[in-house]
Amino acid sequence: MLKKGNKLYSILTGTCPKCHNESMYKDKNPYHLGQIFEMNERCSHCNTKYKIEPSFFYGAMYVSYAVGIAFAVAAFVISFLFIGTGLLTSFFAIIGTLIFFMPVIIRLSRNIWINFFISYDKNAVKKYNTEKLS
Ligand SMILES: [Zn+2]
């Protein structure tokens, strides 16, 4: 099962890549499109700064190509191979899938991107609390 401490947990849930305790996003639902890019500045549990540098999340665009292709391939396989639609219908299935899942793809890409740079640290919260006291 997916649990805290597993990179996939942070990627799929959009939680802090360091402590996995809270969402990085102000609004967890990616389909609230007005807020799709709204992220908290720092994690309130471990103080990790999400935007490592000003243009940090531009890099997530490259990840989104890969994630988009993965969704497109999945749509094609399901439509063409499993359901047995024609090529044209499969093509529209791909377009529809990409449009429908675009918010998810955008969020997943950010989550994957930040997880390249920041790893889970089970002591992160404890460390931060100790720092606050000293
Ligand atoms: Zn955290």
Side-chain angles (χ1 to χ4, degrees):
M1 267 306 286
L2 270 186
K3 282 199 210 127
K4 279 185 190 176
N6 188 323
K7 248 187 200 320
L8 264 181
Y9 177 84
S10 167
I11 289 170
L12 295 176
T13 57
T15 44
C16 169
K18 190 145 206 166
C19 71
H20 295 186
N21 275 321
E22 66 176 32
S23 177
M24 295 189 282
Y25 300 97
K26 290 186 176 159
D27 188 334
K28 274 189 202 173
N29 186 342
Y31 286 92
H32 295 157
L33 295 177
Q35 303 233 63
I36 189 160
F37 295 113
E38 297 295 319
M39 300 177 77
N40 298 315
E41 180 84 14
R42 285 170 185 278
C43 174
S44 69
H45 288 85
C46 72
N47 207 33
T48 291
K49 194 178 176 194
Y50 299 134
K51 233 182 190 180
I52 297 170
E53 50 182 304
S55 54
F56 177 67
F57 281 106
Y58 286 133
M61 274 197 303
Y62 299 104
V63 180
S64 72
Y65 294 135
V67 177
I69 288 168
F71 273 79
V73 169
F76 180 77
V77 167
I78 291 168
S79 165
F80 190 73
L81 297 179
F82 291 157
I83 304 175
T85 58
L87 275 179
L88 189 65
T89 311
S90 303
F91 175 75
F92 285 115
I94 290 173
I95 304 290
T97 301
L98 287 178
I99 293 170
F100 182 76
F101 285 106
M102 192 50 77
V104 174
I105 293 169
I106 288 171
R107 284 274 170 100
L108 273 179
S109 307
R110 287 193 164 216
N111 302 348
I112 292 170
W113 182 247
I114 196 166
N115 268 284
F116 278 141
F117 298 91
I118 302 175
S119 290
Y120 180 70
D121 178 354
K122 67 176 184 333
N123 296 316
V125 177
K126 215 192 291 172
K127 275 184 209 160
Y128 175 50
N129 286 329
T130 320
E131 270 170 41
K132 268 196 296 194
L133 290 172
S134 59

